[in-house]
Amino acid sequence: MKTLTLQSLVPMASPAVSPDSSSSDNLSPDELELLAKLEEQNRLLEADSKSLRSVNGSRRNSSGSLVSSSSASSNLSHLEEDTWILWGRLINEWEEVRKKKEKLLRELIRKGIPHHFRGIVWQLLCNATDMPMKNQYSELLKMTSPCEKLIRRDIARTYPEHEFFKGQDSLGQEVLFNVMKAYSLVDREVGYCQGSAFIVGLLLMQMPEEEAFCVFVRLMQEYRLRELFKPSMAELGLCIYQFEYLIQDQLPELNVHFRSQSFHTSMYASSWFLTIFLTTFSLPLATRIFDIFMYEGLEVVFRIGIAILQFNQVELMQLDMEGMSQHFQKVIPQQFDSCPDKLILKAYQVKYNPKKMKKLEKEYTTIKNKEMEEQIEIKRLRTENRLLKQRIETLEKESAALADRLIQGQVTRAQEAEENYIIKRELAVAKQQFNTASEKLEQAQSTIQELKELRCEHRHKEEYVMELEQSRLREAEALTALKEMQDKVLEMEKRNNLLPDENNIVRLQEELKALKLREAEAVTSMKELHQQVKDLDEHWQRHLARTGGRWKDSPKKNATHELHNELMTVRFSEAQAQAELRELRHRVLELETQNQVNSSLLNRTEQACTGLQDKLQYVTAQNKGLQTQLSETRRKQAEVDCKREEGRIQGQLNNSDSNQIIRELKDQITELKTEQLGLNRAWYRESPESHIVSLSTANTQ
């Protein structure tokens, strides 16, 4: 029997499994004997379980089956006693065994730790026997955790069929809640993760809650579980990456099939790493895998996972994605219940290179760092793009406001042009009235001439008096018309004074020369009028001297003399009216000159307005160009997002191009703002000349 057991132990320590336990020659004879006994115990246990199942399944109990079961039971009792002695000695001499008999301990753990020793052996394996945190457990239970609601919600879904956890508010659920709550207070970064409850539940099946808490803390700290259960789950991504490499290296055909069906590794392997197969296999098999995990760490998860795929490769190759998902959920969990050693033996025939796994870890870290940098760069570009959009919207609003102001200015110019047209029409009426008054004055002069002729011809007195009264009436009307024209002229002067002055000195000098010439002509005409008035006055004085002694004549002669006197008065008034008429003509000339100056101002203002309109068109064209560049920037940004995974160099080039385009957009936006400010200042500076522009427009019409 020893020979058989040694042969059965050889595959467990084959070179493909582990170099440290390469052959059974490295073990002492006593150790080999112990291993043989364990092998025999396992074989008898399997045989006994099969015989018991056959006995319970049959309705008739044969004498042979009873004999075989009784003999197996007796053999099992001896082997169990030997196993108890062996593991008791290992626990009592743990430090020495851990240092000097590591190979024996590894083989024993792979065979399975006895149930009664499992709790203490797990604590010894993870060095959780004398943790100071054990004394803090009772204090942690008195505190309140922010994760209590989540823990309460998930407790009922943890081992729902197990007697220890079955039923609401059972002892198992209560101690499970206590351990999970205590750890969420110790490690607030991790807090609570759903998969960790299955690991804690398995620990509580083997040991009290204080010891289970210490072992769970040690597992989280020393067995990479804390990184697996962090909110980011970065360690889970690394494990999936390494596991995919193992599938690609050892099962290439299955890997191709998975990829063709879009069946991702995380769809079936995430729970393997998070719960160490506790939610995949039955509890006895999962507990044996957890024994090995306590000694060897996550390596056993990779080995068991590849072994599962190797056993099921043929079936999986024939299924689609939905079929493979059903196979992982329903077939694999019960596949190894009757032969767990077969799975473990296959797992330690899997090629596992720790150095290669370390290299893959570095590659994964490099990839994640690169993705993080790209995400940071993309976030920065999106922020800059959003700021550029906001600035463009602001510029569009400012452009719209400027356009509104320009339109308002054009409306104001139209209103002023209308007012100018009204003034021009009133000026035309005033000129017409002036012409009418001039005609009336000419008629008065002709009347005076007729009176002179009547005086020479000595016409009848009554006709002379009537004509004299008519001439007086005409004179009164002429004076009234003159007064109205003077009022009109004063009003026009006031309006002309409101118009802005021109700074063009050369033009003003020429206009001043023309004005002086006209003024000289007016002064000459005024001198002539004064001379005429003087002549009339001398004539009047001579007439008075000549007729001074005749006042005592008859009443008829006195009346004739009075008519002569009134005629001289009328002539004198006529001379004064002519003088005033000359002054009015002089004033009209001045107004016409001023009108010409204003017309030139209006022409120059129109030219300035044309220049402003050209600038506005240029700004509009620039705005359209900026919008075109913005759309080009968005297109390039989309290309960067689509091609960011094609390579580090190409991504950096795209990013540098987008940065250069963004800087150019910023410079162009700054120039556009400067030009808009210049247009605003020009508009405010030239707005007083809008009245002149409207006058020139009216003159042109």
Side-chain angles (χ1 to χ4, degrees):
M1 184 174 291
K2 284 185 179 181
T3 306
L4 293 174
T5 55
L6 286 173
Q7 290 176 353
S8 63
L9 283 172
V10 170
M12 291 292 293
S14 60
V17 176
S18 175
D20 295 333
S21 58
S22 59
S23 66
S24 61
D25 296 336
N26 295 328
L27 300 176
S28 64
D30 294 336
E31 293 171 352
L32 290 173
E33 184 178 358
L34 290 173
L35 290 174
K37 288 181 178 181
L38 288 173
E39 181 69 21
E40 181 64 20
Q41 179 186 6
N42 291 332
R43 189 180 65 79
L44 290 175
L45 283 171
E46 292 177 2
D48 185 56
S49 61
K50 291 179 181 179
S51 63
L52 288 175
R53 284 196 297 269
S54 63
V55 168
N56 294 330
S58 63
R59 295 183 178 180
R60 294 180 300 171
N61 296 327
S62 62
S63 60
S65 63
L66 291 174
V67 171
S68 63
S69 66
S70 62
S71 62
S73 299
S74 62
N75 292 330
L76 282 174
S77 62
H78 293 296
L79 289 173
E80 286 179 358
E81 184 178 355
D82 294 339
T83 303
W84 274 67
I85 295 171
L86 173 61
W87 278 100
R89 190 175 68 182
L90 290 176
I91 293 171
N92 292 330
E93 301 174 359
W94 182 258
E95 296 296 332
E96 183 180 357
V97 171
R98 190 70 185 268
K99 293 179 181 178
K100 297 181 180 180
K101 298 182 179 181
E102 184 177 357
K103 298 175 182 178
L104 172 64
L105 182 62
R106 180 187 298 113
E107 295 298 331
L108 290 174
I109 291 173
R110 289 179 180 176
K111 290 293 181 181
I113 302 173
H115 175 70
H116 298 286
F117 293 96
R118 184 168 280 129
I120 186 63
V121 172
W122 283 0
Q123 295 181 55
L124 292 171
L125 285 173
C126 64
N127 297 324
T129 53
D130 298 324
M131 289 183 65
M133 194 173 292
K134 185 176 182 180
N135 300 325
Q136 302 176 5
Y137 181 74
S138 59
E139 297 296 328
L140 292 172
L141 295 182
K142 298 177 182 178
M143 300 170 64
T144 302
S145 172
C147 304
E148 289 185 8
K149 291 183 179 179
L150 295 175
I151 298 172
R152 289 286 185 191
R153 184 192 65 187
D154 293 336
I155 279 180
R157 292 181 282 185
T158 305
Y159 300 115
E161 302 298 328
H162 198 279
E163 291 294 332
F164 187 56
F165 299 99
K166 187 183 294 185
Q168 189 175 2
D169 298 330
S170 62
L171 177 62
Q173 290 188 6
E174 190 63 29
V175 294
L176 178 59
F177 173 78
N178 292 338
V179 175
M180 298 307 300
K181 171 186 172 182
Y183 184 79
S184 67
L185 292 170
V186 170
D187 191 352
R188 294 184 180 272
E189 182 181 0
V190 175
Y192 167 72
C193 187
Q194 186 177 4
S196 60
F198 289 93
I199 298 175
V200 176
L202 180 64
L203 296 177
L204 290 172
M205 295 178 195
Q206 312 298 330
M207 62 191 77
E209 57 180 304
E210 294 86 352
E211 297 174 357
F213 172 71
C214 295
V215 172
F216 183 65
V217 171
R218 186 66 70 183
L219 289 176
M220 295 291 284
Q221 293 175 351
E222 303 294 336
Y223 287 75
R224 296 170 60 184
L225 293 184
R226 185 175 184 274
E227 301 298 324
L228 281 173
F229 290 127
K230 275 186 177 181
S232 62
M233 289 190 173
E235 192 71 15
L236 178 61
L238 172 61
C239 292
I240 296 296
Y241 181 76
Q242 293 171 333
F243 191 69
E244 286 178 347
Y245 169 77
L246 292 177
I247 298 173
Q248 184 178 359
D249 183 52
Q250 301 184 27
L251 300 169
E253 295 179 357
L254 184 61
N255 179 60
V256 172
H257 180 66
F258 281 167
R259 291 183 179 275
S260 65
Q261 296 295 326
S262 299
F263 192 65
H264 300 290
T265 308
S266 59
M267 296 172 67
Y268 61 90
S270 297
S271 62
W272 295 354
F273 290 98
L274 291 174
T275 63
I276 320 298
F277 295 100
L278 291 174
T279 59
T280 304
F281 295 129
S282 61
L283 199 57
L285 177 56
T287 306
R288 283 197 61 182
I289 295 173
F290 202 83
D291 290 340
I292 303 172
F293 168 75
M294 292 293 293
Y295 186 76
E296 300 181 12
L298 284 176
E299 177 182 343
V300 68
V301 181
F302 290 100
R303 290 182 177 276
I304 295 293
I306 296 297
I308 292 171
L309 296 179
Q310 288 176 348
F311 275 118
N312 295 273
Q313 181 177 5
V314 177
E315 292 82 358
L316 292 173
M317 291 288 291
Q318 298 174 359
L319 300 174
D320 57 2
M321 185 175 69
E322 186 176 356
M324 287 188 289
S325 179
Q326 294 293 326
H327 190 82
F328 275 100
Q329 292 177 4
K330 296 181 179 180
V331 177
I332 292 178
Q334 289 85 25
Q335 189 175 9
F336 303 101
D337 289 346
S338 60
C339 52
D341 291 330
K342 181 180 179 181
L343 176 63
I344 296 174
L345 179 64
K346 186 71 173 178
Y348 281 93
Q349 293 175 355
V350 172
K351 296 179 181 180
Y352 183 86
N353 189 350
K355 293 182 179 180
K356 183 62 179 178
M357 301 301 279
K358 285 289 184 182
K359 185 178 179 181
L360 291 173
E361 182 178 355
K362 291 180 181 179
E363 291 178 1
Y364 181 78
T365 304
T366 303
I367 292 172
K368 285 298 177 183
N369 291 335
K370 183 180 177 182
E371 290 179 356
M372 186 65 68
E373 291 175 358
E374 290 178 352
Q375 290 177 359
I376 293 172
E377 183 66 18
I378 290 171
K379 186 176 180 181
R380 184 183 65 79
L381 290 174
R382 287 177 178 172
T383 303
E384 291 183 356
N385 194 11
R386 179 173 53 81
L387 293 175
L388 283 174
K389 287 181 179 178
Q390 292 177 356
R391 291 178 182 176
I392 289 171
E393 289 176 357
T394 303
L395 288 175
E396 288 178 351
K397 291 179 180 178
E398 292 178 356
S399 300
L402 181 60
D404 292 338
R405 292 179 65 182
L406 288 174
I407 293 171
Q408 187 64 30
Q410 292 177 356
V411 172
T412 305
R413 285 182 56 191
Q415 292 176 353
E416 290 174 352
E418 185 177 358
E419 292 177 358
N420 188 20
Y421 176 73
I422 294 171
I423 294 171
K424 187 176 180 181
R425 188 174 60 186
E426 291 177 354
L427 181 61
V429 173
K431 287 182 178 180
Q432 187 177 0
Q433 291 177 355
F434 177 75
N435 293 329
T436 304
S438 299
E439 291 176 357
K440 290 181 179 180
L441 284 175
E442 291 177 356
Q443 290 177 2
Q445 289 177 357
S446 63
T447 304
I448 293 170
Q449 186 65 28
E450 290 176 357
L451 289 173
K452 288 180 180 180
E453 292 176 356
L454 288 173
R455 185 187 61 182
C456 295
E457 294 175 355
H458 300 287
R459 289 188 176 182
H460 194 271
K461 178 182 178 181
E462 292 179 355
E463 294 177 357
Y464 193 81
V465 171
M466 290 176 63
E467 291 177 0
L468 183 60
E469 289 177 354
Q470 290 177 359
S471 61
R472 285 181 178 177
L473 290 173
R474 291 172 183 172
E475 182 182 1
E477 292 175 357
L479 291 174
T480 304
L482 285 173
K483 188 174 182 181
E484 291 178 356
M485 290 179 64
Q486 288 177 355
D487 295 337
K488 293 280 186 179
V489 169
L490 290 174
E491 185 179 355
M492 291 175 64
E493 286 180 350
K494 289 180 181 179
R495 292 187 180 180
N496 286 329
N497 289 331
L498 294 176
L499 296 175
D501 296 333
E502 177 62 30
N503 295 324
N504 195 343
I505 300 174
V506 177
R507 198 70 165 273
L508 289 174
Q509 287 178 355
E510 294 177 358
E511 293 172 355
L512 185 61
K513 289 179 181 180
L515 186 60
K516 286 182 178 180
L517 291 175
R518 293 177 181 176
E519 186 178 2
E521 293 177 358
V523 169
T524 305
S525 62
M526 288 293 292
K527 287 181 179 180
E528 291 177 356
L529 286 173
H530 284 300
Q531 186 63 34
Q532 289 180 3
V533 171
K534 186 175 181 182
D535 294 339
L536 287 173
D537 192 13
E538 290 177 356
H539 181 69
W540 174 253
Q541 293 296 332
R542 286 196 301 271
H543 175 70
L544 289 177
R546 189 170 55 250
T547 59
R550 300 178 182 175
W551 292 104
K552 296 180 180 180
D553 292 338
S554 62
K556 185 176 182 180
K557 290 183 178 180
N558 291 333
T560 303
H561 289 307
E562 288 176 1
L563 288 173
H564 284 292
N565 293 333
E566 289 177 359
L567 180 61
M568 294 303 294
T569 304
V570 168
R571 287 181 179 178
F572 188 72
S573 299
E574 181 183 0
Q576 289 181 349
Q578 288 180 355
E580 291 177 356
L581 182 61
R582 293 290 179 86
E583 289 180 358
L584 287 173
R585 288 178 178 173
H586 178 64
R587 184 64 58 83
V588 168
L589 289 174
E590 290 179 352
L591 290 175
E592 289 178 352
T593 304
Q594 187 67 28
N595 192 12
Q596 292 178 357
V597 173
N598 291 335
S599 298
S600 62
L601 284 174
L602 287 173
N603 291 330
R604 286 190 289 275
T605 307
E606 284 182 350
Q607 293 176 358
C609 289
T610 305
L612 287 176
Q613 290 178 354
D614 295 337
K615 287 184 179 179
L616 179 60
Q617 292 177 356
Y618 176 73
V619 170
T620 306
Q622 274 192 345
N623 194 5
K624 291 181 179 178
L626 287 177
Q627 290 179 353
T628 304
Q629 290 182 358
L630 179 60
S631 62
E632 183 67 19
T633 304
R634 290 175 179 171
R635 185 182 65 78
K636 289 184 179 180
Q637 180 62 32
E639 291 177 357
V640 171
D641 292 336
C642 295
K643 297 181 180 179
R644 63 184 182 183
E645 295 181 357
E646 291 180 357
R648 177 176 58 82
I649 299 175
Q650 186 175 359
Q652 291 178 353
L653 290 174
N654 290 333
N655 290 332
S656 63
D657 292 339
S658 61
N659 290 331
Q660 184 176 1
I661 292 171
I662 290 171
R663 285 196 295 271
E664 292 177 358
L665 281 174
K666 287 181 179 179
D667 296 337
Q668 292 179 0
I669 288 171
T670 305
E671 293 177 359
L672 184 58
K673 283 185 176 179
T674 305
E675 291 181 0
Q676 284 185 341
L677 290 175
L679 288 175
N680 290 335
R681 292 195 186 99
W683 171 255
Y684 290 134
R685 188 168 57 252
E686 296 175 3
S687 60
E689 299 180 1
S690 62
H691 186 67
I692 300 173
V693 174
S694 62
L695 288 175
S696 65
T697 306
N699 289 330
T700 304
Q701 293 176 355

